[in-house]
Amino acid sequence: MANQWQEEGFPLIKSDPKKALKIFEKGLKEDPKNLKLLEGKGMALLQRVKTKKARKVYKELLELDSENVEGLYGLGLCHIQKEEWDDALIYFNKVKAIQFHSKALIGIGDILGDQKKFKEALDIFDEVLETEPENEKALVLKGLTIADLGTEGT
């Protein structure tokens, strides 16, 4: 049954996060420790900019599985929404230490670029592009970072 909630909820996260949230909550009533349902609930809350509630859900997920990359990534996104860049980096780097995760790596590179650590940011974008050479976000951010590096000190 939990699969049904996932199949219904995940496609709605971006288009109708309120409905997706209701679906995940129904599923969690039946299976309160389902990691995928918790992940979906956190994503729907983030989409609705309910950062505090999303953070609570992701922490609950990590209590069940401390190395859950989507939970760690989600907490990083919560910190991004609150403009807590250093805390976001901590969670994105935890994801990186566990497995390749292009979105977490792009988050790291984007923050490093904003911190004017252009060469480090470029290394991160290159790491993404080695595995995903057509990753549009990594390509765009790499280009912007190269432009920023070129104008540094002018």
Side-chain angles (χ1 to χ4, degrees), residues 60-93:
E60 182 181 343
L61 194 157
L62 291 171
E63 285 175 17
L64 297 169
D65 177 6
S66 64
E67 293 194 349
N68 182 289
V69 292
E70 295 306 324
L72 293 165
Y73 176 69
L75 275 176
L77 291 178
C78 289
H79 288 292
I80 292 277
Q81 281 189 350
K82 293 291 186 183
E83 298 183 8
E84 299 165 346
W85 313 118
D86 290 336
D87 291 330
L89 274 176
I90 289 168
Y91 285 101
F92 291 158
N93 278 309

Side-chain angles (χ1 to χ4, degrees), residues 20-53:
L21 182 60
K22 288 180 182 178
I23 291 168
F24 291 124
E25 287 174 339
K26 282 182 188 176
L28 286 164
K29 285 181 183 174
E30 289 181 16
D31 188 359
K33 294 185 179 192
N34 184 294
L35 301 179
K36 290 301 281 181
L37 294 175
L38 286 167
E39 174 190 331
K41 181 178 179 179
M43 291 169 68
L45 287 165
L46 269 178
Q47 197 68 26
R48 296 191 66 215
V49 195
K50 305 280 186 186
T51 309
K52 190 173 182 179
K53 289 180 179 180

Side-chain angles (χ1 to χ4, degrees), residues 132-146:
E132 299 176 7
E134 295 182 21
N135 186 308
E136 287 182 37
K137 191 161 188 176
L139 287 166
V140 168
L141 289 172
K142 180 179 179 178
L144 291 171
T145 303
I146 290 169

Side-chain angles (χ1 to χ4, degrees), residues 73 92 95-96 99-110 112 120-142:
Y73 176 69
F92 291 158
V95 171
K96 182 183 176 201
Q99 72 179 46
F100 176 87
H101 189 286
S102 61
K103 291 179 182 178
L105 288 169
I106 289 169
I108 293 168
D110 198 14
L112 290 171
E120 291 175 53
L122 288 172
D123 288 343
I124 294 292
F125 296 134
D126 284 341
E127 186 176 340
V128 173
L129 293 168
E130 281 177 27
T131 304
E132 299 176 7
E134 295 182 21
N135 186 308
E136 287 182 37
K137 191 161 188 176
L139 287 166
V140 168
L141 289 172
K142 180 179 179 178

